[in-house]
Amino acid sequence: APTELATVAPPPTLEPTATVAAAPTRGATPTATTAPVVATVAATATVAVPTATVPAPATPTVVAQLAMEGASAEPVFTEEFQIPNYWDQFSDGTTRGQIEDGVYRLTLRNLDSAAWALNGIGRRDFYFSGTASIAQCGTNEGTGLVFRAVNDLNFFAFIISCTGTYKLVEHRNGVVSELLPWTVSGAISRYPAMRNRIGVRVVGQLASLYVNDVFLTSVAGVEQRRGRFGVLVKSNASEVVTAEFDNLSAFEIQP
């Protein structure tokens, strides 16, 4: 009886083992078909070329540091609009400015016009920045920052549009003049993703403009004076334009 078991057991096990070994070995052939996919991955390596440009955002960081050069360690003010503080709030037939949902909401209902709101703090030289967005926007409509405002009739404004342009204007006794006309910039996030971090550095007669930590240009000839800070919305084509502002801050600069 033991002799029979010894002779019968080996042959059955040897045959299945041989077939199982053959199947995986043939499976190497499909792997060869995946080799072209590896080549495709190598092509994807060319996509790494744009990745090589990813280090470029390091430059805007440096630019932001330049904007803050000479700035005070502590801000003159920061505003996240959690508590109504220092800002005009109003509502009438054409304009509305209210602090709601943790943002300052400024609505304009007049075509080809602008509306603005000022806070109660003023400085002469500074870096002033904030986040601005518009939900619905037409051609050359936009939003911006107001600075060196003496009153509602005399101030400067850095404005960006929903179509990716920017300009610097002066309101002098109610008359508007362009210190810098509409200029195109790829740094501006356009409508419908119209949400941008805007900044203006003002020292003496020079105003340096920033969008999303990218330096745009400097404009000379800004009147030297102490003035208040504010925000602005501009209408051109739409019946109603609403801008939202958040995370405003200003740092004083010692020239």
Side-chain angles (χ1 to χ4, degrees), residues 38 115 250:
V38 178

Side-chain angles (χ1 to χ4, degrees), residues 10 13 20 60 67 70 96 132 147-148 155 182 194 222 228 235 237 243 247:
T13 37
V20 172
R96 181 179 183 273
F147 59 94
R148 283 188 178 173
F155 61 83
W182 285 120
M194 178 60 179
V222 178
R228 297 158 64 190
S235 170
N247 300 316

